[in-house]
């Protein structure tokens, strides 16, 4: 008798791995309501083989697999940073207030414009990559869902509320944030 792994089991495995990688409990991750959206994002952007390799890896090894780094950032800020962007220091400038995302706030002269990963010709991939879909399906940087920003683990980690999304209450600025012990 063969046992086929269902999507629900794969989702549970993804959340279990994510709990290890992020330092938050599975309960906390399920509580964000983003588990399915994040799982689907990783599957769509990187494919099942890359996800399985990431889940099979040890997230405490530094430097971690770029897909693992992308998954961690996804849970913390709700934005998909493809593995090609996880190590770049200018990525935060793309999401700076007032920026459209069309060009980085800080020019990056480290690569010629035509060699940037998200501008690659259709079907062109780096050796050993098994990304889902072709390069036209891949997005370099995007917010995964409307609730991803407010449900990001970042806010719990720093003991704050998402700016403009949840009212902390009158006079809350008068006391320091209370940090949860994770």
């Amino acid at each position: 008798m063969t046992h086929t792994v269902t999507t629900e089991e794969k989702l549970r495995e993804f959340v279990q791995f994510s709990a290890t990688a992020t330092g938050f409990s599975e309960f906390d991750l399920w509580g964000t309501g983003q588990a399915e959206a994040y799982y689907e994002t990783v599957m769509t952007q990187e494919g099942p083989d890359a996800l399985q390799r990431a889940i099979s890896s040890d997230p405490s090894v530094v430097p971690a697999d770029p897909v693992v780094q992308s998954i961690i950032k996804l849970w913390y800020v709700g934005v998909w940073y493809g593995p090609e962007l996880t190590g770049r220091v200018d990525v935060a400038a793309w999401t700076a207030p007032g920026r459209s995302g069309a060009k980085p706030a800080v020019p990056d002269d480290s690569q010629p414009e035509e060699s940037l990963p998200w501008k690659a010709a259709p079907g062109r991939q780096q050796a050993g990559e098994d990304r889902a879909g072709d390069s036209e399906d891949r997005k370099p940087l995007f917010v995964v869902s409307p609730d991803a920003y407010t449900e990001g683990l970042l806010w719990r980690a720093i003991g704050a509320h998402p700016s403009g999304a949840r009212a902390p209450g009158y006079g809350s600025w008068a006391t320091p944030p209370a940090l949860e012990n994770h």
Side-chain angles (χ1 to χ4, degrees), residues 47-116:
D49 293 339
L51 178 57
Q52 191 56 49
R53 265 194 318 276
I55 288 174
S56 299
S57 71
D58 180 1
S60 66
V61 174
V62 177
D65 180 294
V67 175
V68 174
Q69 293 175 352
S70 294
I71 291 169
I72 292 169
K73 284 186 175 188
L74 180 60
W75 281 103
Y76 272 84
V77 296
V79 175
W80 176 253
Y81 292 87
E84 64 275 359
L85 297 176
T86 57
R88 296 196 33 175
V89 295
D90 66 332
V91 172
W94 286 67
T95 58
R99 297 286 175 189
S100 66
K103 291 188 174 189
V106 179
D108 178 18
D109 298 330
S110 65
Q111 294 180 332
E113 191 69 25
E114 60 274 356
S115 72
L116 293 173

Side-chain angles (χ1 to χ4, degrees), residues 1-172:
M1 175 159 85
T2 61
H3 175 69
T4 59
V5 180
T6 65
T7 303
E8 186 175 314
E9 290 171 325
K10 290 178 183 179
L11 176 60
R12 283 191 195 127
E13 183 181 25
F14 172 72
V15 171
Q16 184 178 25
F17 167 77
S18 296
T20 302
T22 63
F24 280 82
S25 71
E26 290 180 52
F27 180 79
D28 287 328
L29 299 183
W30 286 111
T32 66
Q34 299 301 302
E36 291 94 358
Y38 292 172
Y39 173 76
E40 288 299 321
T41 297
V42 177
M43 288 293 286
T44 302
Q45 295 297 308
E46 297 303 318
D49 293 339
L51 178 57
Q52 191 56 49
R53 265 194 318 276
I55 288 174
S56 299
S57 71
D58 180 1
S60 66
V61 174
V62 177
D65 180 294
V67 175
V68 174
Q69 293 175 352
S70 294
I71 291 169
I72 292 169
K73 284 186 175 188
L74 180 60
W75 281 103
Y76 272 84
V77 296
V79 175
W80 176 253
Y81 292 87
E84 64 275 359
L85 297 176
T86 57
R88 296 196 33 175
V89 295
D90 66 332
V91 172
W94 286 67
T95 58
R99 297 286 175 189
S100 66
K103 291 188 174 189
V106 179
D108 178 18
D109 298 330
S110 65
Q111 294 180 332
E113 191 69 25
E114 60 274 356
S115 72
L116 293 173
W118 55 88
K119 302 241 184 200
R124 198 169 112 193
Q125 295 179 350
Q126 294 179 354
E129 289 183 326
D130 60 345
R131 295 180 176 156
D134 61 21
S135 61
E136 291 179 12
D137 293 338
R138 292 183 52 77
K139 297 178 184 177
L141 182 72
F142 63 95
V143 177
V144 172
S145 75
D147 295 326
Y149 168 75
T150 57
E151 295 300 329
L153 299 177
L154 163 73
W155 306 112
R156 293 180 190 181
I158 65 171
H161 293 278
S163 179
R166 293 187 186 142
Y170 177 77
S172 62

